[in-house]
């Protein structure tokens, strides 16, 4: 189901191109941290950018497939289109929305408290301001635009929460492994807190990810229940 937006497909192409540009510019930066163990893949921001680019790539592919399938009567093409739509919806529910919102919220909260704990001023010499916002700000409006312009069918709550928990725990284990190998934490603030506080922090981030999954589910339902109600009101015959 699409909203009244005139050209959601065009928006998705524009967003996809912006993510490709951000990723290319980010990878072109010669930062010392990119040359160490794990490279760019140790940063949740980079992983999130890849998730968003893949997600919007699937959205664009779904739009193209829908255009090619429309009116064709080919059942095999329709089955493939349904699989693409299911994958698109699953990615938004489990990865694109919760991880994207998490990155934006946690980054700016820690940045406001003490930027040196998450994004040291030294990075300003490598990363221009527009690129920083491309990585840590525009993710939120982009994903909200997508949620507003197309209805997405969420998976069952248990399977969705299991998937986001798997992602969260997997990333935490990856961060701990990098520390085990290099002796350095990926994020500077982890150096300044004790083992107990780290456990609390990692547990809290997993809980937050689960909360954001539920928030996305509620928001998606609210947007499209409201949209459906408005459409039903328009269809009712006007009483004279």
């Amino acid at each position: 189901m699409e909203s009244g937006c005139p050209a959601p497909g065009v928006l998705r192409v524009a967003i996809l191109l912006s993510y490709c540009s951000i990723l290319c510019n980010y990878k072109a930066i010669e930062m010392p941290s990119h040359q160490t163990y794990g490279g760019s893949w140790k940063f949740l921001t980079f992983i999130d950018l890849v998730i968003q680019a893949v997600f919007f790539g699937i959205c664009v592919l779904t739009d193209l497939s829908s255009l090619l399938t429309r009116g064709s009567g080919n059942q095999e093409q329709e089955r493939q289109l349904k699989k693409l739509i299911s994958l698109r919806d699953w990615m938004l529910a489990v990865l694109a929305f919760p991880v994207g919102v998490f990155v934006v919220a946690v980054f700016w909260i820690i940045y406001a408290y003490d930027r040196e704990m998450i994004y040291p001023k030294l990075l300003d010499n490598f990363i221009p301001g527009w690129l920083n916002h491309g990585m840590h700000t525009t993710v939120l409006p982009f994903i909200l635009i997508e949620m507003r312009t197309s209805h997405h069918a969420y998976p069952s709550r248990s399977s969705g929460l299991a998937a986001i928990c798997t992602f969260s725990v997997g990333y935490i284990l990856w961060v701990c492994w990098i520390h085990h190998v290099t002796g350095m934490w990926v994020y500077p603030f982890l150096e300044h807190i004790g083992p107990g506080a780290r456990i609390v922090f990692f547990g809290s981030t997993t809980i937050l990810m689960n909360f954001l999954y539920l928030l996305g589910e509620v928001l998606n339902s609210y947007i499209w229940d409201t949209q459906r109600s408005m459409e039903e009101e328009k269809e009712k015959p006007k009483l004279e």
Side-chain angles (χ1 to χ4, degrees), residues 8-9 11-19 49-63 88 91-92 96 138-147 149 152:
L11 280 174
R12 291 179 184 126
V13 171
I15 292 172
L16 174 60
L17 290 175
S18 73
Y19 276 123
L49 287 174
V50 173
I51 288 171
Q52 302 299 329
V54 171
F55 169 68
F56 279 99
I58 292 172
C59 288
V60 171
L61 183 59
T62 302
D63 290 337
R88 179 199 68 182
M91 274 206 72
L92 178 126
T138 58
V139 172
L140 181 57
F142 284 169
I143 203 65
L144 290 176
I145 288 170
E146 170 60 26
M147 186 171 277
T149 54
H152 297 272

Side-chain angles (χ1 to χ4, degrees), residues 21-230:
S21 174
I22 290 167
L23 280 167
C24 288
N25 279 276
Y26 179 74
K27 290 298 290 181
I29 296 172
E30 295 184 1
M31 287 197 301
S33 59
H34 289 180
Q35 313 305 320
T36 57
Y37 185 81
S40 303
W41 291 97
K42 58 180 169 283
F43 301 112
L44 186 59
T45 293
F46 178 77
I47 294 173
D48 177 51
L49 287 174
V50 173
I51 288 171
Q52 302 299 329
V54 171
F55 169 68
F56 279 99
I58 292 172
C59 288
V60 171
L61 183 59
T62 302
D63 290 337
L64 291 173
S65 297
S66 180
L67 285 173
L68 295 172
T69 304
R70 189 176 300 164
S72 70
N74 187 312
Q75 292 186 347
E76 180 58 29
Q77 286 183 346
E78 289 178 0
R79 278 196 295 270
Q80 295 304 318
L81 176 59
K82 287 179 181 178
K83 289 180 181 179
L84 267 179
I85 292 172
S86 296
L87 177 61
R88 179 199 68 182
D89 293 351
W90 184 90
M91 274 206 72
L92 178 126
V94 172
L95 294 173
F97 183 87
V99 178
V101 176
F102 179 90
V103 166
V104 173
V106 172
F107 175 84
W108 287 112
I109 288 170
I110 298 176
Y111 186 99
Y113 177 74
D114 182 359
R115 69 167 294 177
E116 294 299 318
M117 295 175 68
I118 190 74
Y119 191 81
K121 196 169 179 61
L122 175 67
L123 292 179
D124 290 343
N125 298 323
F126 299 95
I127 303 175
W130 71 266
L131 186 55
N132 179 30
H133 283 291
M135 297 188 298
H136 298 114
T137 306
T138 58
V139 172
L140 181 57
F142 284 169
I143 203 65
L144 290 176
I145 288 170
E146 170 60 26
M147 186 171 277
R148 178 65 184 84
T149 54
S150 293
H151 176 264
H152 297 272
Y154 266 60
S156 68
R157 184 168 293 180
S158 58
S159 65
L161 290 174
I164 192 61
C165 277
T166 300
F167 175 85
S168 302
V169 173
Y171 181 69
I172 289 169
L173 292 175
W174 172 230
V175 168
C176 292
W177 175 255
I178 291 171
H179 177 262
H180 171 73
V181 172
T182 66
M184 299 287 291
W185 288 104
V186 173
Y187 302 103
F189 71 90
L190 292 173
E191 299 280 359
H192 304 292
I193 58 178
R198 288 191 203 105
I199 292 172
V200 171
F201 174 76
F202 289 144
S204 299
T205 57
T206 303
I207 292 171
L208 179 56
M209 282 283 200
N210 280 266
F211 170 77
L212 291 174
Y213 172 87
L214 296 174
L215 176 64
E217 184 181 53
V218 170
L219 185 60
N220 181 68
S221 296
Y222 172 77
I223 289 171
W224 290 98
D225 285 348
T226 303
Q227 180 80 8
R228 194 176 297 111
S229 298
M230 290 172 62

